Amino acid sequence: MDLRRLASFLAVAEEKHFGRAAARLYLSRAAVTGHVQQLERQLGSTLLTRAPVELTPAGERLVKHARVLIDTANAAAADLADLRVDDRPFRVGIMGHGSAELTPASMRALRRARPDLRIAVVTLDFSEGESALLEDRVDVAFVRPAPVDERITVDVLTTEQRVVVVPDSWPVAEAPGVRLADILDLPFLSMPEHTPRSFTDYLYFAAARGGEAPRRIPDTALTPHDVLTSAALGRGAGSSLASFTRYYPWPGTAFVPVVDAPWDQSVLATRTGDRRPEVRLMRSVATKLSRELGPELGLVPRT
């Protein structure tokens, strides 16, 4: 019996909602629905009713078995972990420009401290700040904003002013600075359904919206390239941290400081409880460089 299908079924059974289960598993809603349907076909029984989502008698029986099977598989993996010969490189995830100049500086410092360590850089899109770590696709990640998940530990590296990215043909592009009230009605780029809530709240300045959804265009953004392309074509707006303006000066776009928005952070994210020496070393060199170089580069407010 496929453990992925069982995990999807169990998540829906516990959440009583396909969308929430998908977000919890970092899968699309369609994938979770497909897993449940495949399991139902395999077993020849309907496991869940829809609208509202409730367990059927067959589903009630399967829940107990599903929990035992998944717990057993996890326990087996944990028991064998210390025997695994792992020749993978140390995988560093970087979303966009990461933590600006602190990202390459940290990588160079890690290389000097551990010249024997094989390092692989993994490019992350805006939806992967949490899932790449939780799915063991990277060992550390330079991301923004800070993930909100107890399974992830963050070290704050930069604290920067927010900027809005807009077409240079829009009137707001001429302003030396704008206030939140000036930009909340702008049409923003869309994000995929599986994007973590922490990132969409950050992108759309959710705290200032009073619960109102942003006006969104059909264009979907997963990378800085997507944001800049849409802005250069005059279609929609995005947002970022101030250091974005140094890394992505594109013709046809403008970067305008949002003067009354709370400053936000980029972080080094790691799996909570990961005590491997290379992870600890990466955290140490990155936070040390943040303290030493951050104020000089304008990435950390001077005290």
Side-chain angles (χ1 to χ4, degrees), residues 124-155:
L124 303 179
D125 67 38
F126 296 151
S127 72
E128 296 178 301
E130 299 176 14
S131 62
L133 279 166
L134 297 177
E135 295 171 3
D136 194 26
R137 290 186 278 118
V138 299
D139 300 300
V140 300
F142 291 89
V143 300
R144 63 185 182 279
V148 182
D149 191 306
E150 63 183 10
R151 296 169 292 177
I152 296 176
T153 295
V154 299
D155 294 296

Side-chain angles (χ1 to χ4, degrees), residues 164-177:
V164 65
V165 186
V166 296
D168 65 3
S169 59
W170 288 6
V172 70
E174 300 295 327

Side-chain angles (χ1 to χ4, degrees), residues 267-279:
V267 303
L268 180 68
T270 56
R271 284 183 287 276
T272 298
D274 192 337
R275 304 291 294 171
R276 286 176 295 165
E278 55 270 30
V279 172

